[in-house]
Amino acid sequence: MTGTRVGLVLPQLGPHVSGPLIRDFAREAERMGFAHLWVQDHFLYALEQRGEYGGSAAAQPEVYQSVFGPTETLAAVATWTSRIELGTSVLVGGNHWPAQLAQRLATIDRLSDGRLTTVGLGVGWSVEEHEAAGVDPRTRGRRMDDFVPALLACWGEDPVEHKGEFFDIPRSIVRPKPVSAPRLMSGMWSRQGLARTARLFDLWNPGSMPIPQVVDTVGEINAMRAEGRPPVGVIYRVALQSTAGKRLTVEEVAERVREAAAAGIEGVIVETNFCSEINSSADWMTLLGRLDPVLKAGTEGTAAP
């Protein structure tokens, strides 16, 4: 049995985030031996929220009132680190346009000497963010169906050309290219989203659900996969404290990592942005120092009792 590679979501949300904190956190995570670092994607906090956050009518957590930009954050981390892999978990399709995003991501990959290994994409939930970006939220699923091919076209051989329902890219030179095209990871959960994952993506990024449910669901995804294509893999996301306030101990998170390893899940991302004890940069670094058991759990290769 092989282990599972463990990574961390970067400090990105809330009033205590700063450039020096992100730099110190990323460098310490790399020194400790974490496998990868991740960013998420929101750019406004609607005071009158119409969308359903997390599939419910609950308001999004207040730490979302300040969010460092994902691609800008990863570009900085690319220059502050030298070995650790980078990824997005996840970028909201409606916040971006594929040709421009392809350039930004390829730039990050080049700055990091090819360490942008995974690009996560989702359709998002915020009506207000879509409207502010000039995107009709009612089209978010169909738009993603065109977004992925347009993005991949820009990473392919020049000249690039794409014509779709939402995006037209004229015959063009689009550079830089990534060192190698990052794998695409789906953050989608709906039935339509799972089917889209089977069609367009390499990985699935579930969170919160029990590991046996993850295994069953990815089995359903792969049953929809076109014959001859490699199966969709899983990078699982677990929060030390959830957006609803549910708290796991460090050992409980470590046990979740051991379960993931036993199930053959290739990676786990640990989220700390919602931990209520974080009131300063020092608190964030203290919390990072407590996560060594989680990192070690990924290599233990033991099943949960």
Side-chain angles (χ1 to χ4, degrees):
M1 181 187 304
T2 60
T4 189
R5 303 175 75 235
V6 181
L8 301 167
V9 181
L10 286 160
Q12 198 182 348
L13 313 183
H16 307 295
V17 176
S18 66
L21 166 62
I22 298 171
R23 179 197 61 211
D24 294 348
F25 186 100
R27 287 176 172 171
E28 180 62 10
E30 183 173 69
R31 187 201 67 78
M32 291 174 69
F34 282 96
H36 28 70
L37 294 169
W38 302 82
V39 291
Q40 54 198 289
D41 186 19
H42 285 288
F43 67 87
L44 61 77
Y45 183 94
L47 296 179
E48 287 83 36
Q49 175 185 313
R50 286 176 283 152
E52 291 189 349
Y53 175 74
S56 73
Q60 58 181 320
E62 290 186 359
V63 290
Y64 278 122
Q65 292 180 6
S66 176
V67 182
F68 272 40
T71 54
E72 294 84 353
T73 298
L74 272 189
V77 170
T79 67
W80 290 331
T81 57
S82 60
R83 301 182 309 279
I84 198 164
E85 294 176 10
L86 308 175
T88 70
S89 173
V90 296
L91 300 179
V92 177
N95 295 354
H96 303 279
W97 300 84
Q100 294 157 312
L101 182 63
Q103 181 197 44
R104 294 200 300 273
L105 293 173
T107 298
I108 292 166
D109 190 62
R110 289 287 177 174
L111 288 171
S112 65
D113 293 324
R115 288 185 286 127
L116 181 68
T117 59
T118 308
V119 171
L121 296 169
V123 297
W125 63 271
S126 173
V127 172
E128 293 78 20
E129 279 191 331
H130 278 80
E131 291 176 347
V135 173
D136 183 348
R138 296 171 298 180
T139 67
R140 58 187 183 159
R142 290 178 13 243
R143 188 177 185 274
M144 182 62 73
D145 289 336
D146 197 24
F147 193 106
V148 170
L151 178 72
L152 293 177
C154 292
W155 288 341
E157 293 185 5
D158 290 322
V160 168
E161 189 171 16
H162 176 85
K163 186 172 182 61
E165 180 182 4
F166 292 90
F167 308 109
D168 288 337
I169 303 172
R171 186 173 163 83
S172 305
I173 305 296
V174 181
R175 298 178 186 168
K177 308 291 187 185
V179 175
S180 59
R183 293 188 297 171
L184 295 186
M185 181 173 71
S186 162
M188 291 171 275
W189 296 59
S190 69
R191 296 310 304 173
Q192 299 95 323
L194 296 181
R196 187 171 291 117
T197 301
R199 288 197 310 273
L200 299 173
F201 289 82
D202 307 301
L203 296 161
W204 186 48
N205 186 212
S208 304
M209 67 174 61
I211 298 296
Q213 185 180 351
V214 172
V215 173
D216 289 345
T217 305
V218 80
E220 295 173 14
I221 293 171
N222 282 317
M224 296 184 277
R225 192 81 158 161
E227 186 176 353
R229 294 194 66 189
V232 170
V234 176
I235 297 181
Y236 182 73
R237 183 174 176 134
V238 59
L240 198 61
Q241 183 169 323
S242 74
T243 57
K246 181 180 179 181
R247 186 60 184 250
L248 299 177
T249 66
V250 169
E251 179 51 39
E252 285 172 327
V253 173
E255 186 60 28
R256 193 72 61 88
V257 172
R258 285 189 283 269
E259 289 182 56
I265 291 172
E266 71 170 79
V268 174
I269 307 170
V270 180
E271 169 69 275
T272 57
N273 275 275
F274 304 101
C275 291
S276 55
E277 73 269 31
I278 293 177
N279 295 298
S280 68
S281 295
D283 291 339
W284 225 309
M285 296 303 296
T286 297
L287 183 58
L288 172 59
R290 293 174 48 219
L291 295 180
D292 192 58
V294 176
L295 176 61
K296 291 178 178 177
T299 60
E300 289 173 4
T302 57

